[in-house]
Amino acid sequence: MARGYEQPDRSDRNYARWHFNDYFTYRDITPCDITALEGYISIEIAAFRAIGEVTIPELSVSHYRKTRPIIHMGDAGGIREAFLFCDGSYFNGREAISFNEDGFIGFCGWADSMNSRPFVSGFCRWVDEWMTPAKSLRAMRND
């Protein structure tokens, strides 16, 4: 790595917001993209649990009827807002990731920097591995 060059912290909430906003808007997000985001978060939670870096036991994306993802579509295409929730060993339905109507993306407002890491890392992987190729494909198809 070049001297003076610092690799971005892909578990930093501000970096994740910047990373998304640099390439996308809410109009680029479909309900299928939110489903994919849940998958990326689940993979990251499992990976962080495997190496002992998640301190809340049984942390997972929530799929209870009351706390499954909420997606409100926008008038111009894409989402207007969306909310994903998570469960732990002693709580259900806490905010995991929120795409707020005002454009702010929230990450686990309840969690410390350790327990928010799989959510933020999963979000960054989703931007790189899912959203970027999907946007290119949509542009080619004129979606």
Side-chain angles (χ1 to χ4, degrees):
M1 187 176 310
R3 198 172 139 156
Y5 175 78
E6 199 169 309
Q7 184 125 7
D9 181 0
R10 296 178 62 82
S11 65
D12 177 71
R13 293 169 170 136
N14 290 323
Y15 171 79
R17 289 182 195 104
W18 167 84
H19 191 56
F20 176 84
N21 289 325
D22 205 36
Y23 300 102
F24 303 103
T25 68
Y26 285 9
R27 280 190 264 159
D28 296 312
I29 302 174
T30 67
C32 292
D33 297 328
I34 297 296
T35 301
L37 176 56
E38 288 183 284
Y40 280 96
I41 293 168
S42 294
I43 290 167
E44 290 295 310
I45 289 171
F48 277 75
R49 187 180 296 133
I51 60 174
E53 292 214 14
V54 174
T55 58
I56 294 178
E58 304 307 315
L59 188 61
S60 65
V61 174
S62 183
H63 287 106
Y64 291 108
R65 184 173 183 84
K66 288 171 61 176
T67 56
R68 64 180 172 216
I70 297 170
I71 303 169
H72 296 127
M73 299 303 293
D75 295 333
I79 64 167
R80 184 178 75 236
E81 61 185 5
F83 304 93
L84 283 80
F85 303 95
C86 62
D87 301 323
S89 56
Y90 57 90
F91 63 84
N92 291 322
R94 287 193 180 168
E95 172 213 358
I97 297 179
S98 61
F99 294 90
N100 296 286
E101 191 170 1
D102 64 2
F104 181 78
I105 302 171
F107 297 95
C108 306
W110 54 271
D112 62 12
S113 60
M114 178 64 78
N115 285 314
S116 67
R117 286 179 66 198
F119 297 93
V120 178
S121 296
F123 180 86
C124 289
R125 281 190 62 197
W126 172 75
V127 168
D128 291 339
E129 298 173 17
W130 178 267
M131 290 300 293
T132 302
K135 185 170 184 179
S136 299
L137 181 60
R138 289 180 195 138
M140 289 179 358
R141 292 188 340 215
N142 293 322
D143 284 357

